[in-house]
Amino acid sequence: MASLNVGNLGEYLREQRRSAQLSLRQLADAAGVSNPYLSQIERGLRKPSAEVLQQVAKALRISAETLYVRAGILDERDRDELETRAVIVADPSINERQKQVLLQIYDSFRKENGFDADTDKDTTDDGPRTAGGSGAEQYE
């Protein structure tokens, strides 16, 4: 895990809060954290937990993963992968089986391009992922 970069995080949070036209107190109330605590985070004096960052992100209507990267909790490449997976899983226009196949194809391409596909990670409960192959064989 990377070291926390709370100064950069605090500046970013302040910018996002101002863009959302929220006072410190309003954001603290919306996120369910104390006003002094949020102020300390913005000034780089506190290291917030992932849970607090998630609450703040929800209140600001921004990606929690973006805050995790800013805080040094999550690597940029991990965020991109998580966001891609989240979009696939959240798509209401495809069914669960199609989502699973699409995730398998995505893993296959990542592996082919030199990124390790974590075959133990399964975003649905449809069973284990197949080793190798793109998953497209199920449609043939």
Side-chain angles (χ1 to χ4, degrees), residues 2 9 18-20 36 49 53-54 56 58 63 93-94 106 120 132:
L9 172 66
R18 288 180 177 161
S19 293
S49 67
L53 289 174
Q54 185 176 28
V56 170
K58 185 175 179 183
S63 163
S93 67
I94 57 178
Y106 176 67
D120 296 330

Side-chain angles (χ1 to χ4, degrees), residues 15-140:
E15 289 172 16
Q16 294 300 311
R17 178 177 58 79
R18 288 180 177 161
S19 293
Q21 298 181 336
L22 292 172
S23 70
L24 191 64
R25 188 173 308 279
Q26 288 171 321
L27 179 56
D29 288 344
V33 298
S34 74
N35 187 36
Y37 182 62
L38 186 57
S39 174
Q40 290 173 346
I41 293 171
E42 279 194 1
R43 290 183 286 141
L45 303 175
R46 289 283 190 159
K47 297 178 182 179
S49 67
E51 182 179 320
V52 168
L53 289 174
Q54 185 176 28
Q55 291 169 228
V56 170
K58 185 175 179 183
L60 287 171
R61 296 186 176 155
I62 61 175
S63 163
E65 288 81 8
T66 298
L67 294 185
Y68 297 158
V69 170
R70 291 276 179 168
I73 295 172
L74 186 64
D75 184 78
E76 184 76 30
R77 291 178 300 168
D78 294 337
R79 181 191 72 163
D80 292 344
E81 180 186 356
L82 288 172
E83 287 180 348
T84 301
R85 290 179 179 284
V87 168
I88 292 170
V89 171
D91 189 336
S93 67
I94 57 178
N95 66 38
E96 292 305 312
R97 183 176 151 274
Q98 292 167 330
K99 290 175 187 180
Q100 186 63 31
V101 170
L102 192 52
L103 288 169
Q104 290 173 345
I105 293 169
Y106 176 67
D107 284 343
S108 174
F109 286 150
R110 284 182 51 82
K111 188 173 185 178
E112 183 178 313
N113 292 332
F115 294 96
D116 288 335
D118 185 357
T119 55
D120 296 330
K121 249 193 292 183
D122 194 359
T123 56
T124 63
D125 292 331
D126 294 341
R129 295 188 177 178
T130 59
S134 67
E137 329 42 72
Q138 296 175 17
Y139 282 95
E140 295 177 4

